[in-house]
Amino acid sequence: MQSNIIVTAVVVIYLLVMLLIGYLSSKKIESNTDFVVAGRRLGPFLMAGTLAATEIGGGSSLGVVQQGMESHGLSAAWYIITMGFAFVILTFLAPKFRAAMVKTVPEYFRRRYGKPSGIITSLIMFVPLIGLTAGQFIASSVILSTMLNLNYKTAVLIVGVVVTIYAIMGGLWSVTLTDFVQVFLIVIGMIIALPFGMNLAGGWDNVVANVPAETFDMFKGYNVMDVISLTIMYVATFTVGQEAVSRYYAARDGKAARQGSVLAAIVNFIYAFFPTLMGIIVLALINMGKFNAADFQDVGARYALPVLAMEAMPAIICGLLFAGIVSATMSSADSDLLGAGSIFANDIYKIVIKPSASDKEIMVVTRVTMAAVGVFATLIALFNTSSIVTILMFAFTLRAAGSFFPYVLGHYWKGASQAGTMASLIAGTIVVVYLEHVSKGNLFGLHFNQPIVPGLVAALIAFLIFSLVMPPKKQTTELAPEE
């Protein structure tokens, strides 16, 4: 795919704007609370933008286009629709999350269940964020190099430097503002792109006539159980993932948190069908003979959307869409980076290494950690060390399986105990590891595409049993004050 100077210019301008936002945001940072949870001042619209941008990544754009084209048809939209379902469910929990007045998930565990629980969850949650950051760096770099005809390693350096710098400068406030721009770019870019793709195919009737009838079956690629499993997985990971739940902590109040969650769900519901339809259009163009296998030889089917964009759209529109696609993965990377820095500084450095650390010192450590994670993630991406990323990404599933119920039920149930929390963490981990590495998803004669689902069941049983057998000395849902 040949690079176009206008397309390249639009993407470069976008990257420079992200850095400018980071610089301007740094002027508003006066405390660690400002840096980690944006001073708890996010209204519903900024909440919605940053929540949606954090979860709409490369898989939700390029991956869904590929699924729509290759195998799933219209049902590929479920991948994003189920994210919307998760945000709707979190609407009911959002005010509780905000009312806890914590900065990180491990801080909640520490104050609710005791110091050991906080330390264990901080380690469980810190490691996956390194892998997630590296994974997003790799995805962003592949996209950037493919679309602009850049050397992959050059793209890695560009992505690593830009994301790390603007995230370090302004913390969550910077990330929120850049997320808002990024979700606007990807959603509007995809909406604008659709008519151009349709025009190249000769209209919607031509699209329908040149794809199999089952392409429009909403359950062609996902069955009902898959939809339920995806929704459960998203609810669990969004709830205890620092990169997502920090947005609820940063809301202006409980009402803003709830409204932001609803708006984020609406964004997902609307956006879901645009990449899906783009994939169906590409399939129609292939069947019509306007595209052929050679069009994807160099870049692969995952890059069907960039191929279509270069063929069907004016350079300026193509550039905006490409900027949006790059931003979709970068908006996930910056959140992972900030999450890693926040947890290390607030829950490991402050609690284990130097309890006497001042607020400003913690903020410095957060930034230094983000820089270190950014460099490490860039090195992993440069050498594309997939085995390391696989290990770290596996930890992503582990963190949600064991910690979900102690975190959520701890807000409501006075009898939730430290013993129950430890049992939940152990049981969830054992089941997920067994399904992922031993039985290949099989348990009691059933096959699970998402190991987190039985992991959650095991964690819940262990949590309830041990909390009842070994209840807390003082039954309360109130958090202990920080030392």
Side-chain angles (χ1 to χ4, degrees), residues 54 56 59 71 115 121 151 153 187 235 238 254 260 276-277 299 312 324 336 342 344 389 402-403 405 431 466 471 477:
T54 299
I56 293 176
S71 56
K115 190 174 178 180
T121 51
N151 175 274
K153 291 190 175 181
V187 173
V235 170
F238 293 178
T276 306
L277 290 173
V299 297
D336 298 330
S342 303
F344 182 84
V389 175
S403 59
F405 287 109
V431 171
F466 277 83
T477 58

Side-chain angles (χ1 to χ4, degrees), residues 41 112 224 226 231 234 280 339 343 411:
R41 60 177 178 267
R112 177 69 175 83
V224 174
D226 290 333
T231 303
Y234 286 138
I280 293 172
I343 288 175
H411 288 86

Side-chain angles (χ1 to χ4, degrees), residues 316-340:
I316 187 74
I317 302 297
C318 190
L320 287 171
L321 179 62
F322 282 10
I325 294 170
V326 172
S327 74
T329 48
M330 285 177 56
S331 63
S332 301
D334 58 29
S335 299
D336 298 330
L337 198 60
L338 178 61

Side-chain angles (χ1 to χ4, degrees), residues 126-411:
F126 175 71
V127 173
L129 288 167
I130 301 173
L132 289 170
T133 302
Q136 294 297 348
F137 277 10
I138 291 170
S140 298
S141 303
V142 170
I143 292 167
L144 194 64
S145 63
T146 302
M147 293 190 301
L148 300 186
N149 199 26
L150 288 174
N151 175 274
Y152 170 75
K153 291 190 175 181
T154 302
V156 169
L157 293 173
I158 292 171
V159 169
V161 168
V162 170
V163 173
T164 303
I165 287 177
Y166 79 66
I168 285 175
M169 282 195 291
L172 186 59
W173 182 242
S174 169
V175 167
T176 297
L177 295 180
T178 52
D179 279 356
F180 193 82
V181 173
Q182 289 163 341
V183 79
F184 178 83
L185 267 179
I186 186 62
V187 173
I188 298 302
M190 199 71 79
I191 290 173
I192 293 173
L194 188 63
F196 287 100
M198 203 91 72
N199 184 59
L200 185 63
W204 180 246
D205 289 341
N206 267 2
V207 173
V208 174
N210 283 280
V211 298
E214 62 268 20
T215 300
F216 300 100
D217 180 356
M218 278 300 291
F219 291 98
K220 180 187 178 189
Y222 290 99
N223 58 38
V224 174
M225 193 62 215
D226 290 333
V227 171
I228 294 171
S229 296
L230 268 177
T231 303
I232 291 171
M233 182 192 73
Y234 286 138
V235 170
T237 53
F238 293 178
T239 299
V240 298
Q242 181 67 23
E243 69 278 8
V245 79
S246 61
R247 274 62 178 169
Y248 293 104
Y249 299 157
R252 187 170 56 216
D253 51 34
K255 183 179 179 182
R258 186 170 58 248
Q259 292 171 335
S261 201
V262 170
L263 290 172
I266 293 170
V267 170
N268 277 269
F269 293 148
I270 294 171
Y271 177 73
F273 291 97
F274 287 95
T276 306
L277 290 173
M278 294 296 279
I280 293 172
I281 289 170
V282 174
L283 175 61
L285 289 167
I286 292 171
N287 292 339
M288 292 162 64
K290 293 190 177 183
F291 283 172
N292 57 53
D295 292 310
F296 304 102
Q297 278 180 353
D298 294 333
V299 297
R302 186 172 176 80
Y303 298 94
L305 181 57
V307 170
L308 176 61
M310 294 295 280
E311 288 287 333
M313 298 167 205
I316 187 74
I317 302 297
C318 190
L320 287 171
L321 179 62
F322 282 10
I325 294 170
V326 172
S327 74
T329 48
M330 285 177 56
S331 63
S332 301
D334 58 29
S335 299
D336 298 330
L337 198 60
L338 178 61
S342 303
I343 288 175
F344 182 84
N346 288 276
D347 303 297
I348 298 175
Y349 182 80
K350 166 71 175 171
I351 301 303
V352 179
I353 300 173
K354 190 178 179 183
S356 62
S358 67
D359 186 74
K360 289 194 178 297
E361 185 178 346
I362 295 169
M363 188 163 62
V364 170
V365 172
T366 304
R367 283 176 157 146
V368 170
T369 304
M370 290 170 68
V373 171
V375 169
F376 185 51
T378 300
L379 290 173
I380 293 174
L382 275 173
F383 297 103
N384 213 344
T385 325
S386 56
S387 58
I388 294 177
V389 175
T390 301
I391 292 169
L392 295 172
M393 291 287 279
F394 172 61
F396 173 68
T397 306
L398 291 183
R399 74 173 184 182
S403 59
F404 176 75
F405 287 109
Y407 179 65
V408 173
L409 295 183
H411 288 86

Side-chain angles (χ1 to χ4, degrees), residues 88-100:
V88 170
I89 292 169
L90 288 178
T91 297
F92 299 98
L93 303 174
K96 281 286 188 184
F97 295 163
R98 174 60 181 81

